[in-house]
Amino acid sequence: MVNIVRNTEKIMVFALIFILGVSILICPVAAASAISTIQRGNTVFIGEQGLDITAAMDGDTILGWWASGSTSTNPDYTIPVSNPGSFIVSPSDFASRTGNWYHLSSLDKDNGTAFLVVDPTLGLRVWDTTVNVDVTDKWVSTDYDLQFQIDTNLVQMTQRGVTVPVAIKVRSPNGAIFTSLIDKNGASTSIDPYQISTTPQYTGSIWSTKNRDAYPTGTYSIWVECNVNSMKDNYGQTGKTISSTVSLLNQDRNPLIGNPSYVTNPTTSVTTVTTRIPTTIATKATTPVPTTVLPTTIPSTEIPTSVETLPASTVIVESATVPTTHTPGFGAGLAIAAAIFGLVLCLRKK
């Protein structure tokens, strides 16, 4: 009895392993099939090949396109469809003929829309989530967390019931291209492929620059591409199935620091310093002219203010006050002349 139970358990384990293995094999095939299967009215992109448009053709064998504003009964361009199970949206046929394509039973019989042809677009930006700054074509420092922003119209493929696989390419300064990135917690995220389902698509903070062993300093080149149904192989144009390549400088020091043309202000932005050279005007030397200082007082010659007592007949003459504006010596001469005149008068009376 015990052996029967053990054998039953073994059989159940083997059965589960078998089912799991089959599921793993079937799921990718189912997903690949879904992303290539086009229903009526779905969007297809220039460059896609291997598409199964059987349902979109609804039994018809001709695709027709009318130019915008056309009033013609017959389509302006037609493509015969001999194998609807493997169809290519060839750039030569569709690059200049986007819009609605119709399935026709004959050249003048429109039976409805087969699918919509769209020119793909694809772009990428890099965000520093530590400080919430767009660092596309800029620089980041150690221990900063980064995420990618993917802008594309390829999300219209989700109408086929799948997410859209793209490949984010990160090339290090030494030329290595990463297929996954490590965040600040050590968790790894696949970036090739990376599934998108909306636009813009944000990856979250999946890349931390603090791991210097994995991410050395220097300039990184980053782009995103999509090769769903070989569309990049058939239509590898920048901005369409391949984004423009952006750069990211990973280093510990702001590259503007040390540049003699800039000074970093820690609280605001970087400010340009302009050096102004003062203009010197030469002045001719002037020989100083000696200044004559006129005395403000009478020279030391004392002028008597009275005459000593003379005989009763002697006339007493008081000295006159000399204005400081007269020439020096004039007042003294006048006083002497007056004294002599008085003495002569006195002698004549005797």
Side-chain angles (χ1 to χ4, degrees), residues 87-140:
F87 183 78
I88 178 172
V89 188
S90 171
S92 60
D93 286 325
F94 293 94
S96 60
R97 301 179 182 93
T98 57
N100 287 317
W101 280 76
Y102 303 87
H103 58 95
L104 315 173
S105 57
S106 63
L107 291 181
D108 59 353
K109 182 61 175 175
D110 171 13
N111 288 325
T113 301
F115 47 70
L116 174 68
V117 175
V118 172
D119 202 10
T121 61
L122 192 57
L124 177 137
R125 304 195 71 79
V126 185
W127 282 86
D128 182 342
T129 56
T130 302
V131 292
N132 195 30
V133 172
D134 185 341
V135 290
T136 307
D137 294 325
K138 297 179 183 177
W139 80 284
V140 293

Side-chain angles (χ1 to χ4, degrees), residues 49-332:
Q49 74 175 38
L51 298 180
D52 183 354
I53 62 171
T54 303
M57 293 300 295
D58 196 25
D60 290 331
T61 58
I62 302 173
L63 282 170
W65 174 83
W66 279 264
S68 178
S70 175
T71 58
S72 173
T73 303
N74 295 331
D76 295 306
Y77 196 83
T78 59
I79 296 175
V81 179
S82 59
N83 183 10
S86 183
F87 183 78
I88 178 172
V89 188
S90 171
S92 60
D93 286 325
F94 293 94
S96 60
R97 301 179 182 93
T98 57
N100 287 317
W101 280 76
Y102 303 87
H103 58 95
L104 315 173
S105 57
S106 63
L107 291 181
D108 59 353
K109 182 61 175 175
D110 171 13
N111 288 325
T113 301
F115 47 70
L116 174 68
V117 175
V118 172
D119 202 10
T121 61
L122 192 57
L124 177 137
R125 304 195 71 79
V126 185
W127 282 86
D128 182 342
T129 56
T130 302
V131 292
N132 195 30
V133 172
D134 185 341
V135 290
T136 307
D137 294 325
K138 297 179 183 177
W139 80 284
V140 293
S141 184
T142 304
D143 201 20
Y144 277 33
D145 301 319
L146 306 175
Q147 73 170 351
F148 302 110
Q149 173 187 330
I150 301 170
D151 298 285
T152 182
N153 61 0
L154 293 173
V155 294
Q156 295 178 63
M157 288 185 185
T158 57
Q159 65 191 202
R160 305 175 195 178
V162 295
T163 55
V164 184
V166 298
I168 302 172
K169 301 291 188 177
V170 178
R171 184 169 58 209
S172 71
N174 58 20
I177 296 181
F178 300 104
T179 57
S180 62
L181 295 172
I182 301 172
D183 66 14
K184 63 181 178 181
N185 298 317
S188 178
T189 301
S190 172
I191 57 173
D192 186 5
Y194 184 86
Q195 304 294 329
I196 63 174
S197 58
T198 186
T199 188
Q201 174 86 46
Y202 294 96
T203 63
S205 303
I206 62 174
W207 184 14
S208 175
T209 61
K210 71 177 181 180
N211 189 339
R212 279 290 181 259
D213 292 334
Y215 310 119
T217 58
T219 300
Y220 289 73
S221 298
I222 308 167
W223 69 97
V224 61
E225 57 188 45
C226 182
N227 202 29
V228 170
N229 297 323
S230 302
M231 63 189 308
K232 179 180 72 70
D233 297 336
N234 298 320
Y235 193 48
Q237 293 191 18
T238 300
K240 298 184 182 296
T241 57
I242 307 172
S243 73
S244 298
T245 299
V246 301
S247 64
L248 182 72
L249 175 60
N250 178 22
Q251 67 178 32
D252 296 330
R253 184 177 181 182
N254 188 326
L256 299 180
I257 296 177
N259 187 329
S261 300
Y262 296 88
V263 174
T264 300
N265 186 328
T267 58
T268 57
S269 58
V270 176
T271 305
T272 303
V273 177
T274 304
T275 303
R276 299 184 182 278
I277 302 175
T279 303
T280 304
I281 301 175
T283 305
K284 292 183 179 180
T286 304
T287 303
V289 178
T291 304
T292 303
V293 180
L294 298 177
T296 56
T297 58
I298 303 297
S300 59
T301 305
E302 295 183 1
I303 301 175
T305 56
S306 62
V307 181
E308 293 182 359
T309 303
L310 297 175
S313 60
T314 302
V315 177
I316 300 175
V317 179
E318 294 183 356
S319 63
T321 301
V322 181
T324 56
T325 55
H326 291 172
T327 302
F330 176 78

